[in-house]
């Protein structure tokens, strides 16, 4: 979200949403622009993020023909290749596959890559798989000089690997009172 959008809040904004916005702008660098690529492992998250991006005036650039063709080879036939991209469970836990997916898309027309991800609070293997998704996004963003953003939809969701400093893993959590992302 551009700094101009993130820095303004109306009196009707719930306090938890305002605090999450402040946390985000204090940890993450300002975005270079308003073109966002969204990655999810859920069709519902994709729909909500597309609606919210439209409300905020953020652009969700379409994939180039080459990017679409590459993603069609990576994803199952039932997957919809669009932005937001629901990479579905076919790549879940496959850090190399996720990197390829994220890296190719972040090499295109965008300013930042947003990964929507909910860490399971008690499943260590699930948390490790989430870490692979985050690590793949961070590496792909670094390779393309783009801003990585990790967002969770549940306030109760842990932010991931606690050993990593917050500045290396920008995370925005959703409170019950706020809307995505």
């Amino acid at each position: 979200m551009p700094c101009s959008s993130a820095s303004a809040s109306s009196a009707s904004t719930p306090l938890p949403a305002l605090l999450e916005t402040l946390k985000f702008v204090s940890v993450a660098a300002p975005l270079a622009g308003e073109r966002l690529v969204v990655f999810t492992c859920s069709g519902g998250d994709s729909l909500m993020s597309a609606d919210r991006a439209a409300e905020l005036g953020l652009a969700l650039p379409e994939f180039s023909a080459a990017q679409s063709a590459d993603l069609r080879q990576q994803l199952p036939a039932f997957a919809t290749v669009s932005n937001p991209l629901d990479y579905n469970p076919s790549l879940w836990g496959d850090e190399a596959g996720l990197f390829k997916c994220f890296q190719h898309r972040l090499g295109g027309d965008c300013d930042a890559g947003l990964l929507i991800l909910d860490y399971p609070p008690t499943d260590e293997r699930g948390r490790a798989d989430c870490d692979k998704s985050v690590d793949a996004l961070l590496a792909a963003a670094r390779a393309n000089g783009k801003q990585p953003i990790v967002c969770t939809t549940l306030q109760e969701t842990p932010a991931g690997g606690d050993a990593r400093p917050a500045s290396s893993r920008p995370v925005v959590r959703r409170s019950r009172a706020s809307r995505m992302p």
Side-chain angles (χ1 to χ4, degrees):
M1 149 179 9
C3 208
S4 61
S5 297
S7 62
S9 181
S10 67
S12 64
T13 299
L15 183 58
L18 176 61
L19 293 175
E20 292 301 325
T21 301
L22 291 173
K23 180 170 55 172
F24 175 72
V25 298
S26 70
V27 173
L31 298 181
E34 299 179 0
R35 298 167 303 155
L36 190 63
V37 176
V38 180
F39 302 102
T40 76
C41 196
S42 163
D45 288 347
S46 290
L47 291 171
M48 290 188 299
S49 60
D51 289 347
R52 189 66 176 137
E55 289 173 13
L56 294 171
L58 297 173
L60 298 177
E62 293 184 25
F63 297 123
S64 70
Q67 289 171 323
S68 293
D70 183 63
L71 287 168
R72 284 192 201 333
Q73 289 180 356
Q74 272 194 285
L75 299 172
F78 65 83
T80 301
V81 175
S82 64
N83 184 16
L85 177 66
D86 173 7
Y87 59 86
N88 68 68
S90 65
L91 294 177
W92 190 246
D94 177 3
E95 188 170 344
L98 288 163
F99 172 78
K100 181 180 177 190
C101 175
F102 299 162
Q103 190 271 346
H104 192 70
R105 184 54 189 115
L106 289 174
D109 180 32
C110 67
D111 299 303
L114 170 66
L115 174 63
I116 300 176
L117 187 67
D118 291 321
Y119 275 81
T122 58
D123 176 11
E124 288 303 315
R125 182 169 180 209
R127 290 173 60 82
D129 285 342
C130 287
D131 281 344
K132 290 176 184 178
S133 298
V134 172
D135 290 343
L137 177 72
L138 293 175
R142 193 173 15 250
N144 287 289
K146 304 294 170 81
Q147 175 72 36
I149 305 167
V150 178
C151 176
T152 178
T153 59
L154 303 172
Q155 181 179 13
E156 304 81 21
T157 300
D162 297 327
R164 298 178 189 205
S167 60
S168 72
R169 204 176 258 213
V171 175
V172 177
R173 292 189 193 169
R174 177 182 178 257
S175 70
R176 294 181 209 281
S178 67
R179 297 202 323 223
M180 293 225 354

